[in-house]
Amino acid sequence: MALRSARPAGARARGALRDSPHLWFWLMAGPFLAGLAVFVVVPIGWSVWLSLFDAHNTVTPTRFVGLDNYRDMLGDPAFRASLLTFVVFAAVVVPLTFAGSLALAVLVHGVRRFQPFFRSVFFLPLACSYVAASLIWRGAIFPGVPTGVANSALRAVGGEPVAWLSVVDPPWYWLVLVTLRLWLQLGFYMILFLAALQRVPRQLYEAAALDGASSWTVFARITFPQLRAVSVAVLLLATVNAFQAFDEFYGVMATAQGYPPYARPPLVYLYYVAVGNGQDFGHGGAGGAVLTVLIGLVALAQARFTGLFRRRGAR
């Protein structure tokens, strides 16, 4: 009798467990959270721990040095110059990325036919590896010799070939780095703007058409204000991505005659510090921590400036 009454209770318990939203949440998010902890959180924590030790050629140091590694990195002119490189790179790339992706989104949104084709064409570069794209840019489009696609185009209009990767003035290598980053990421941000454009109420455009508003007035008074939320997101993502640049700098400038003063960002500099001949994980970890704090401060300042933290209902 007791056995028969226990079976329905066990079945009900299993059914309740199977229907629990918490169970399915952990089943779906568990593998991702585990990978995030193992490959992101733990390495970051271990890097910060190493930054407090004299860690040469070892990840299990014993000599505690406190904040000396941070003091050395902040006093290193090469590291400070690399931080300035990121600021310059972000100041150029972020506005161009924002304006270019918004312009592409507006153009594609206005196309009545073959819109899926154009979305795919502009989004396709995102599937390309940064390393592979860097090799193409360096070897085929902007090589360090008077050949390549860009120089062929210059010859076609009567111009002279340019040594794009030369480290002397003018610094043409900046054009190579910026165009590579724009080609790789414009499509992604274009998709974000497209999704926001499709949510703008059609009634607003119909009312503007009845009032005889021009195209520029419609964009300035209706379209752009409706894109405020996604615009803030694009600015934040583009800024953080610009401060994390590594592949294009390392891939494009690897064959240059030594890194010029403003072509070695912190990640490239820290790569040579931590993985180079010295394998100085202590100073590398300290530099990585400084860079993380800098990215966080820039992101917070930008969020504050764009009103991301503005309270709901505040004008």
Side-chain angles (χ1 to χ4, degrees), residues 181-241:
R181 171 55 71 100
L182 292 177
W183 182 77
L184 284 168
Q185 69 178 11
L186 279 183
F188 171 73
Y189 299 113
M190 180 202 71
I191 294 297
L192 298 183
F193 278 121
L194 270 176
L197 285 171
Q198 293 172 356
R199 299 182 60 183
V200 178
R202 301 297 303 175
Q203 296 85 346
L204 298 178
Y205 293 118
E206 294 172 358
L210 291 176
D211 291 340
S214 63
S215 300
W216 173 251
T217 302
V218 171
F219 176 80
R221 298 294 181 87
I222 297 178
T223 304
F224 192 69
Q226 293 290 322
L227 302 179
R228 179 181 176 276
V230 73
S231 297
V232 173
V234 167
L235 285 174
L236 287 175
L237 290 173
T239 301
V240 173
N241 287 335

Side-chain angles (χ1 to χ4, degrees), residues 149-161 164:
V149 176
N151 282 327
S152 298
L154 286 177
R155 288 195 189 92
V157 296
E160 294 294 331
W164 300 102

Side-chain angles (χ1 to χ4, degrees), residues 106-138:
V106 172
L107 291 174
V108 173
H109 183 68
V111 174
R112 297 185 179 274
R113 302 179 62 183
F114 304 109
Q115 189 178 114
F117 169 77
F118 289 108
R119 286 202 307 262
S120 302
V121 166
F122 290 119
F123 186 76
L124 190 61
L126 187 66
C128 182
S129 167
Y130 274 62
V131 176
S134 300
L135 294 176
I136 294 173
W137 245 246
R138 187 186 70 190

Side-chain angles (χ1 to χ4, degrees), residues 4 19 44 68 100 146 171 197 199 224 252 264 276 281 297 300:
R4 285 198 301 269
D19 297 335
I44 290 177
D68 288 349
L197 285 171
R199 299 182 60 183
F224 192 69
V252 170
R264 184 171 63 180
F281 300 118
L297 291 176
L300 289 174

Side-chain angles (χ1 to χ4, degrees), residues 81-82 85 167 173 259-264:
S82 68
T85 299
V167 298
Y173 55 83
Y259 277 94
Y262 296 109
R264 184 171 63 180

Side-chain angles (χ1 to χ4, degrees), residues 9 36 67 69 78 84 116 120 125 128 155 162 171 245 278 315:
L36 183 68
L67 299 179
N69 290 330
L84 181 60
S120 302
C128 182
R155 288 195 189 92
V162 175
R315 295 184 179 179

Side-chain angles (χ1 to χ4, degrees), residues 20-63:
S20 173
H22 303 289
L23 172 65
W24 294 109
F25 169 79
W26 288 111
L27 285 177
M28 296 297 180
F32 169 76
L33 294 177
L36 183 68
V38 172
F39 297 107
V40 178
V41 177
V42 172
I44 290 177
W46 190 251
S47 177
V48 174
W49 176 254
L50 288 177
S51 68
L52 303 176
F53 290 84
D54 182 16
H56 285 81
N57 301 310
T58 180
V59 294
T60 56
T62 57
R63 192 168 74 89

